[in-house]
Amino acid sequence: MTTVLSHGPLETDVPDIRPTLQGSVGTATRVTLIAAGAAAGAGIAILSGPSNITALTTAVVGAGLVTSLAANWSTCGMSVAGVVAAPKQPDRKGSSTPLRRLGWHALGSVTTGAVTGTLIGGLGAAVSGYIPIGWALAAWAVLALAYGLHELGVLNLPTPMRRQQLPRHLRRTMAPWKVSLIFGAIIGPGFLIFIRSSAYYLLALGVIASGSPVLGAALFTVVSLGRCMPSLAAIVHTRRGGSMPGFLSIMCVVDRRVQSVTGASLIALGAFAAASLI
């Protein structure tokens, strides 16, 4: 007797826990975010009247802060949260606690992130003077506005990246604190894995335009520390009696709302940069 086993398509086995942007944030809300972001950014620029250099620095700092928040909602970030926050199995090597693993993860992320920011800023310093600051600010403003609309689902723009996940096999072969450190070191530069937020591109381009290795190191350090937040939130969630699957489900639902706020923030920064040129 032959038994035939059937199996449906893989996609039917995966629960749809991450809603679409349109399903999570309504059209009216997104239109309001676009208008509010543009008005706020332009209004601040008109009232403050910053110089081109000040406007560029302010916009880049803003992009760094947005990136530190928006880059968290990714499969890699959630994978790290599982490594850092989950209790260590008795048969695993090493002796560590979630908070210690979070410290190792932050160390790895900050180390490579700061180096990356320094190198990007150094690249900008090497080419500074070839492009007038006003042109650089104008180009940055256009890209910020465009990618803000991209985040809000109005435009579909290219997002070049290395589509590579963190090496999962390390979770089965190394002590958890070492995995936390290595995962942090891989995530730190931001360009070795999937890029979750368009704000990353604006941050890198802005650091190049500013031509400041110090600013680059500082902002990429802020981003590295910001990307530790999912792990910290997972630790708090589990200590309060929550489960990791429940935490990951919440993060996936929050994802689209964060994306919308990111889009509005980029539009505000783009409008600020554009209005500063007037």
Side-chain angles (χ1 to χ4, degrees):
M1 178 179 179
T2 302
T3 303
V4 179
L5 299 177
S6 62
H7 197 285
L10 180 61
E11 57 268 22
T12 63
D13 298 338
V14 182
D16 186 14
I17 59 175
R18 175 177 278 128
T20 63
L21 177 62
Q22 291 76 12
S24 182
V25 183
T27 301
T29 300
R30 285 182 283 139
V31 170
T32 301
L33 288 172
I34 292 171
I44 292 173
I46 292 172
L47 291 175
S48 60
S51 65
N52 287 348
I53 294 179
T54 300
L56 178 62
T57 302
T58 302
V60 176
V61 170
L65 295 177
V66 172
T67 303
S68 69
L69 296 174
N72 289 312
W73 280 260
S74 65
T75 52
C76 288
M78 297 304 101
S79 177
V80 170
V83 172
V84 171
K88 189 180 78 68
Q89 297 89 345
D91 59 337
R92 293 291 299 278
K93 300 177 181 178
S95 175
S96 62
T97 65
L99 286 179
R100 289 178 186 174
R101 292 195 290 274
L102 179 60
W104 284 112
H105 176 64
L107 175 63
S109 185
V110 167
T111 300
T112 57
V115 171
T116 300
T118 300
L119 292 176
I120 292 176
L123 173 63
V127 300
S128 64
Y130 292 97
I131 301 176
I133 188 68
W135 290 12
L137 183 60
W140 194 93
V142 170
L143 289 173
L145 289 168
Y147 275 95
L149 294 174
H150 168 83
E151 291 288 317
L152 285 163
V154 177
L155 298 177
N156 186 15
L157 298 176
T159 53
M161 66 184 82
R162 183 170 184 258
R163 300 180 182 278
Q164 181 68 43
Q165 296 282 11
L166 293 168
R168 296 180 60 186
H169 70 278
L170 295 181
R171 303 176 64 172
R172 300 186 298 270
T173 59
M174 299 182 67
W177 74 267
K178 292 181 181 179
V179 180
S180 300
L181 176 66
I182 294 173
F183 278 9
I186 295 173
I187 287 178
F191 304 103
L192 300 179
I193 54 176
F194 283 87
I195 296 177
R196 172 61 187 84
S197 171
S198 300
Y200 240 121
Y201 305 108
L202 279 302
L203 169 61
L205 290 174
V207 169
I208 292 175
S210 70
S212 172
V214 174
L215 180 64
L219 290 180
F220 272 77
T221 296
V222 169
V223 171
S224 293
L225 291 174
R227 298 197 72 174
C228 294
M229 287 193 299
S231 297
L232 177 60
I235 292 173
V236 173
H237 180 79
T238 53
R239 287 191 172 183
R240 291 179 176 176
S243 66
M244 280 304 298
F247 172 77
L248 298 180
S249 297
I250 293 172
M251 292 299 99
C252 286
V253 171
V254 170
D255 171 36
R256 297 303 186 183
R257 293 174 175 81
V258 172
Q259 181 180 342
S260 297
V261 173
T262 299
S265 300
L266 291 180
I267 288 173
L269 291 171
F272 171 83
S276 299
L277 293 166
I278 300 175

